[in-house]
Amino acid sequence: MDSLEPRDTDATRNAAAAPAVAFFDVDGTLTYHRDGVAEDQVAPSERVRRALEAFTARGNIAVLCTGRPPITVSPALRACPFTAKIMLAGGCVEYGDEVVHHEFMPHDLLARLVDELARVRMSAFFETSSRCLLVEWPETPLSFDIGYEHTSIDELRGMLDTLEVSKVVLESHRLDLLESVMPFIREHFVISNLGVGEHEITLPSTTKRNGMQVVLSELRRRGVQVGTVYGFGDSENDVSMLEAADVAVVMGNALPQVRAYADYVTDTVQEDGVVTALEHFGLV
């Protein structure tokens, strides 16, 4: 696996000399959908939470690394011992309580994307660091409503000069509508399968890998020596994280195309696969 920087071959760079740093995806990795649980209330199991606490109690560093926007990172997740949080698939990075990185789509490019999606009447979620907007067309009703702020296409267009959108989310079963739009999307963006019935559109530079680089740079700037870097994930937007990690841990429920990036395949999220992997590597 490629690391974010050339590997340091000095014998002092090992797990005993420096803390491990682990980057954890949320949906499909730390948590999974449960009927009756709101999107912004999802929580890891008690066993996973205890393992995260044991991991950090040993002096290691845990980092949240999710596609979720900040407002849907639940209180239960925020209460876990994360030194930093990468959100919006790398579009927003918090170190402690400080936002240290924020990337969003240029307004002119976002306007063109909105026009293209509107042309084919594609319902979509538009996610920023502080708001999540939903435009829904009668022809393409959404299969579920995760509590986002509903707005009309005209209202959305009126906000575009100031709206800082990092990510656009679409329902996977509607992707056939995008046949005529896909050349534009692939020219300017990356589209990733989240494995939960959704695809996301981001800038090529908005990646979990870049979010990792921000966090690791912040750690080093604060004088923290970084040991082995682990990445835990299950979907296509985790690939850049898995490629960048020294050790790529892929969940047993991962998409088949993501398994190709694994150094170690653990149990499924329902089986607390994060705990299985932390135990396997002697980290808890």
Side-chain angles (χ1 to χ4, degrees):
M1 294 294 166
D2 296 332
S3 59
L4 292 173
E5 297 181 356
R7 280 184 170 80
D8 184 350
T9 57
D10 191 294
T12 61
R13 179 178 163 78
N14 55 55
V21 182
F23 294 84
F24 297 95
D25 173 50
V26 172
D27 298 287
T29 300
L30 288 178
T31 70
Y32 60 95
H33 174 75
R34 294 178 174 89
D35 289 339
V37 178
E39 183 80 1
D40 59 357
Q41 296 300 316
V42 297
S45 71
E46 181 65 17
R47 184 170 174 240
V48 169
R49 185 188 62 77
R50 289 198 307 267
L52 291 174
E53 291 175 350
F55 174 74
T56 56
R58 289 189 172 194
N60 299 309
I61 297 166
V63 180
L64 194 72
C65 194
T66 180
R68 285 173 170 262
I71 64 171
T72 65
V73 175
S74 68
L77 282 167
R78 286 190 174 273
C80 292
F82 296 118
T83 296
K85 301 176 189 69
I86 299 166
M87 296 167 289
L88 288 167
C92 178
V93 180
E94 293 179 3
Y95 191 100
D97 295 327
E98 179 186 0
V99 175
V100 295
H101 176 75
H102 183 206
E103 181 176 31
F104 52 89
M105 298 175 184
H107 295 130
D108 58 341
L109 188 59
L110 174 62
R112 290 178 60 192
L113 178 61
V114 168
D115 287 344
E116 290 294 327
L117 295 178
R119 181 171 61 82
V120 296
R121 317 284 277 187
M122 183 71 165
S123 298
F125 305 97
F126 297 84
E127 298 181 347
T128 81
S129 62
S130 60
R131 299 177 74 182
C132 294
L133 301 171
L134 165 59
V135 174
E136 187 173 20
W137 296 93
E139 299 92 332
T140 57
L142 294 167
S143 302
F144 55 89
D145 186 343
I146 55 179
Y148 282 9
E149 180 182 346
H150 287 248
T151 188
S152 70
I153 186 64
D154 290 335
E155 289 171 333
L156 179 67
R157 284 177 169 140
M159 305 177 199
L160 290 181
D161 286 344
T162 58
L163 203 60
E164 297 178 342
V165 172
S166 295
K167 191 159 72 82
V168 177
V169 177
L170 316 169
E171 287 196 313
S172 301
H173 73 281
R174 301 285 189 189
L175 289 187
D176 59 315
L177 294 175
L178 296 182
E179 183 177 358
S180 64
V181 180
M182 201 58 77
F184 165 76
I185 290 176
R186 295 203 183 280
E187 179 182 358
H188 298 284
F189 302 97
V190 173
I191 184 166
S192 302
N193 185 354
L194 302 183
V196 290
E198 298 175 348
H199 277 64
E200 70 179 15
I201 297 173
T202 58
L203 292 173
S205 56
T206 301
T207 66
K208 292 187 175 183
R209 178 191 179 103
N210 286 349
M212 291 169 72
Q213 196 159 19
V214 171
V215 171
L216 293 176
S217 295
E218 286 292 320
L219 287 169
R220 294 185 176 109
R221 187 173 69 83
R222 289 166 165 79
V224 178
Q225 187 179 5
V226 174
T228 303
V229 175
Y230 294 82
F232 292 71
D234 70 296
S235 63
E236 284 184 351
N237 75 348
D238 295 319
V239 167
S240 69
M241 172 183 65
L242 297 170
E243 287 182 315
D246 297 318
V247 180
V249 178
V250 172
M251 304 299 291
N253 50 279
L255 294 170
Q257 60 268 36
V258 178
R259 284 176 174 252
Y261 297 90
D263 291 314
Y264 175 77
V265 177
T266 189
D267 293 332
T268 66
V269 61
Q270 292 87 352
E271 298 168 313
D272 294 334
V274 163
V275 181
T276 304
L278 291 173
E279 291 175 345
H280 172 82
F281 290 108
L283 297 169
V284 294

